[in-house]
């Protein structure tokens, strides 16, 4: 069909086309006009960088707050945030009562739009039939999102602190165990430790010097005992000789007394010699007893010196044994000290990290209110954002015209009637002799004209009835 044929067909069916277009327009207009008005409120939130920075405080929450913009839409549309807003502000009561909270959350996701603005801000738009509710929800959602985010971060910081506490307790027990092992090891090998090696060497030198001294004293005592042994015979001989001489004088004095009186010069002489001999004998016996006592003392001194030498030799052997065992215990002690230092270093590191984690946790709590800053709060919208009734009416009008025209075209294409000579020539193989025009009134005349200059043909046919 050509455009002229289409226009002609629509004109012939103008009543039907107009009726269909009118019905469609009325229905569409009714739909557009009866749709509820939706008001949109928008709020712009800026994510502030954390202060102080990482160079001053080592934070336990590894995620930078600015990185949450990458997932801010998913987090804002998550069930915890939306459910809290629905319950707090009593949104969608009909949906909640009829279909449950999940349906209400799904509907709120449809009414909520999140768009990231730049690198540190995002815009949140909420649509609702009530402009007051739209503004309230738009202003409240960033606070709920901020609270949920901060709860998560504070929970992460608290978990890190608890983890460091548990690790510190375990490492503290390990350090205490190593300290107990080291203490017991030092008690078990007292005197053989590497730090006591110099003391043992000095002790060994001191004992060696004492051994030399005692050996010299023993040598002198042995010499003294030898001298006393040589002098013992002489002293014994002198005492025996004086005793024998005294006995002889005694016998002579007895014989003289039997012969002479006491006043006799011979008796006096013998008495004087006897007294002198007795005195010398007593002196000799005194020297004998002194020499015996000296020999006893020297023997005792030699025994003491020998015992001291044995004790010193045992001490020297003990010191030497300690020195010999020191290298072996030094290796074991070095291994134990190495493990102890590793455990102590870990413990100190964990303690330091625990303190930093506690500081980071306090900073997370103190800087909570300054991480999300609303730079453009939502106001109460004065005009609805949708639907656009003018655009909707225009679309309905165009749709009605289109459906009317389509209906006319379809009916024309399904109509097999022949309405002019052109259609007759195109659709029939027979020659057209004449056409009878449509007679619409008594005043019209029947006009017969030859077709294309031929006889019995009609020139310029108009239509067939």
């Amino acid at each position: 069909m050509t455009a002229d044929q289409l226009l002609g067909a629509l004109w012939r069916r103008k009543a039907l086309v107009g009726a269909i277009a009118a019905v469609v327009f009325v229905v569409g207009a009714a739909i557009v006009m009866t749709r509820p008005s939706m008001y949109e409120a928008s709020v712009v939130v800026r994510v502030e960088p954390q202060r102080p920075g990482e160079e001053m405080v080592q934070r336990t929450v590894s995620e930078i707050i600015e990185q949450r913009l990458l997932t801010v839409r998913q987090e804002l549309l998550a069930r915890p945030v939306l459910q809290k807003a629905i319950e707090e502000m009593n949104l969608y009561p009909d949906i909640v009562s009829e279909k449950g909270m999940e349906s209400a959350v799904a509907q709120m996701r449809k009414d909520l739009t999140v768009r990231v603005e730049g690198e540190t801000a995002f815009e949140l738009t909420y649509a609702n039939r009530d402009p007051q509710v739209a503004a309230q929800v738009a202003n409240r959602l960033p606070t709920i999102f901020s609270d949920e985010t901060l709860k998560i971060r504070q929970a992460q910081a608290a978990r890190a602190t608890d983890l460091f506490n548990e690790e510190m307790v375990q490492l503290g027990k390990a350090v205490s165990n190593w300290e107990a092992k080291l203490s017991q090891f030092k008690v078990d090998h007292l005197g053989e430790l590497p730090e006591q090696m110099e003391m043992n060497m000095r002790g060994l030198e001191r004992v060696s010097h004492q051994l030399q001294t005692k050996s010299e004293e023993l040598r002198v005592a042995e010499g003294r005992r030898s001298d006393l042994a040589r002098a013992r015979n002489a002293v014994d001989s002198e005492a025996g000789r004086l005793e024998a001489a005294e006995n002889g004088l005694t016998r002579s004095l007895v014989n003289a007394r039997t012969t002479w009186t006491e006043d006799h010069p011979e008796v006096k002489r013998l008495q004087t010699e006897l007294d002198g001999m007795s005195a010398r004998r007593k002196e000799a016996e005194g020297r004998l007893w002194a020499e015996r006592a000296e020999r006893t003392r020297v023997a005792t001194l030699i025994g003491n010196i020998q015992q001291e030498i044995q004790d010193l030799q045992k001490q020297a052997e003990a010191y030497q044994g300690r020195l010999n065992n020191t290298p072996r215990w030094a290796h074991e002690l070095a291994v134990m000290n190495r493990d102890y230092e590793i455990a102590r270093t870990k413990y100190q590191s964990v303690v330091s990290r625990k303190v930093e984690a506690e500081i980071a946790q306090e900073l997370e709590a103190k800087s909570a209110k300054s991480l999300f800053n609303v730079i453009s709060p939502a106001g109460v919208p004065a005009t609805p954002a949708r639907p656009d009734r003018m655009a909707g009416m225009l679309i309905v009008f165009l749709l009605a015209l289109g459906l009317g025209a389509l209906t006319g075209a379809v009916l024309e294409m399904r109509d097999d009637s022949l309405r002019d000579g052109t259609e007759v020539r195109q659709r029939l193989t027979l020659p057209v002799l004449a056409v009878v025009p449509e007679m619409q009134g008594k005043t019209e005349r029947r006009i017969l004209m030859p077709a294309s200059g031929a006889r019995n043909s009609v020139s310029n046919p108009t239509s067939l009835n």
Side-chain angles (χ1 to χ4, degrees):
M1 296 177 63
T2 63
D4 294 338
Q5 291 174 343
L6 180 59
L7 290 176
L10 294 177
W11 179 252
R12 283 192 301 272
R13 294 176 172 83
K14 54 184 176 291
L16 178 61
V17 172
I20 293 174
V23 171
V24 173
F25 180 76
V26 170
V27 174
I31 294 174
V32 171
M33 297 305 294
T34 55
R35 286 190 63 191
S37 298
M38 299 296 292
Y39 295 86
E40 291 184 352
S42 299
V43 59
V44 179
V45 181
R46 173 182 170 84
V47 180
E48 300 292 342
Q50 292 176 302
R51 294 292 183 271
E54 292 287 340
E55 64 278 1
M56 299 180 64
V57 178
Q58 185 69 30
R59 298 186 180 273
T60 54
V61 182
S62 59
E63 181 186 21
I64 302 175
I65 190 64
E66 292 86 341
Q67 292 180 349
R68 301 197 73 87
L69 286 177
L70 301 176
T71 58
V72 65
R73 184 176 184 277
Q74 289 76 8
E75 294 182 5
L76 274 171
L77 298 181
R79 181 187 176 108
V81 177
L82 300 184
Q83 182 175 348
K84 185 175 181 180
I86 292 172
E87 294 174 349
E88 182 179 328
M89 307 183 72
N90 194 23
L91 302 176
Y92 311 105
D94 298 337
I95 299 178
V96 173
S97 61
E98 294 178 1
K99 300 181 180 180
M101 181 59 68
E102 191 64 35
S103 299
V105 171
Q107 181 61 41
M108 191 170 184
R109 287 195 184 103
K110 296 178 182 178
D111 297 336
L112 192 61
T113 304
V114 181
R115 183 171 62 254
V116 177
E117 298 289 344
E119 297 180 354
T120 59
F122 64 90
E123 181 183 17
L124 186 147
T125 302
Y126 179 70
N128 195 275
R129 298 180 182 180
D130 189 345
Q132 296 288 342
V133 174
Q136 292 175 3
V137 174
N139 287 322
R140 179 58 182 160
L141 277 177
T143 304
I144 296 176
F145 169 68
S146 174
D147 294 341
E148 293 296 326
T149 301
L150 296 176
K151 285 181 181 179
I152 295 174
R153 294 180 65 85
Q154 290 176 4
Q156 292 176 351
R159 284 196 299 270
T161 303
D162 295 339
L163 178 63
F164 284 125
N165 281 329
E166 295 175 0
E167 190 68 18
M168 186 183 70
V169 171
Q170 294 179 358
L171 289 176
K173 293 180 179 178
V175 171
S176 299
N177 292 334
W178 278 115
E179 290 176 349
K181 289 181 180 179
L182 285 172
S183 299
Q184 187 63 38
F185 183 86
K186 290 180 179 180
V187 170
D188 295 339
H189 303 92
L190 185 63
E192 300 177 352
L193 301 177
E195 57 267 23
Q196 297 173 332
M197 183 174 182
E198 184 177 358
M199 181 188 68
N200 291 330
M201 293 180 66
R202 291 181 180 178
L204 182 61
E205 292 177 357
R206 176 177 54 80
V207 170
S208 299
H209 180 70
Q210 291 178 355
L211 278 174
Q212 293 178 359
T213 302
K214 293 299 180 180
S215 298
E216 183 65 23
E217 291 178 358
L218 180 62
R219 186 184 65 79
V220 172
E222 291 287 349
R224 176 63 177 165
R225 186 172 63 178
S226 298
D227 294 340
L228 291 175
R230 287 193 297 271
R232 180 180 59 186
N233 296 327
V235 172
D236 291 343
S237 299
E238 181 182 5
R241 182 177 57 78
L242 291 175
E243 184 178 3
E246 183 181 7
N247 292 330
L249 288 174
T250 300
R251 287 192 298 273
S252 298
L253 179 60
V254 171
N255 294 326
R257 283 178 178 175
T258 58
T259 304
W260 299 293
T261 62
E262 293 290 335
D263 295 333
H264 193 275
E266 184 64 22
V267 174
K268 291 183 178 180
R269 181 184 67 78
L270 291 173
Q271 184 64 45
T272 302
E273 288 181 359
L274 180 61
D275 293 337
M277 187 63 66
S278 296
R280 288 197 298 273
R281 179 184 61 77
K282 291 179 179 179
E283 290 179 359
E285 289 179 353
R287 288 195 300 273
L288 179 62
W289 286 106
E291 289 179 357
R292 289 178 179 177
E294 180 67 15
R295 286 197 301 271
T296 303
R297 186 189 68 81
V298 170
T300 303
L301 177 63
I302 291 174
N304 292 335
I305 293 175
Q306 290 177 345
Q307 184 64 39
E308 290 179 357
I309 289 175
Q310 291 179 358
D311 294 339
L312 290 174
Q313 288 177 347
K314 291 180 179 179
Q315 293 181 14
E317 291 176 356
Y319 281 120
Q320 188 63 46
R322 294 175 182 178
L323 291 175
N324 294 334
N325 292 330
T326 296
R328 184 178 63 179
W329 305 135
H331 176 70
E332 294 186 11
L333 184 61
V335 174
M336 296 178 67
N337 282 326
R338 181 194 63 193
D339 296 338
Y340 168 69
E341 289 297 328
I342 293 174
R344 192 167 67 91
T345 303
K346 289 182 179 179
Y347 176 75
Q348 293 176 349
S349 176
V350 170
V351 170
S352 177
R353 294 297 302 276
K354 174 181 174 292
V355 174
E356 292 182 358
E358 291 176 348
I359 295 174
Q361 185 176 0
E362 293 177 359
L363 289 178
E364 287 289 342
K366 292 180 180 179
S367 63
K369 298 181 180 180
S370 61
L371 293 179
F372 296 93
N373 183 23
V374 178
I375 60 178
S376 179
V380 180
T383 58
R386 63 180 188 271
D388 188 350
R389 303 189 189 280
M390 293 299 297
M393 294 297 290
L394 179 59
I395 293 173
V396 169
F397 177 72
L398 295 176
L399 181 61
L401 289 180
L403 287 176
L406 180 61
T407 303
V410 171
L411 292 176
E412 179 66 20
M413 293 175 65
R414 294 177 62 86
D415 191 357
D416 294 335
S417 301
L418 299 176
R419 293 181 175 84
D420 57 26
T422 303
E423 291 184 3
V424 173
R425 295 188 189 96
Q426 291 177 353
R427 299 176 62 180
L428 297 178
T429 57
L430 300 176
V432 179
L433 300 178
V435 294
V436 179
E438 182 181 2
M439 304 300 293
Q440 296 180 353
K442 295 180 179 180
T443 59
E444 294 185 358
R445 310 178 287 167
R446 182 178 180 182
I447 300 174
L448 296 175
M449 297 181 65
S452 301
R455 187 178 178 180
N456 297 331
S457 295
V458 180
S459 177
N460 297 326
T462 57
S463 65
L464 291 177
N465 193 7

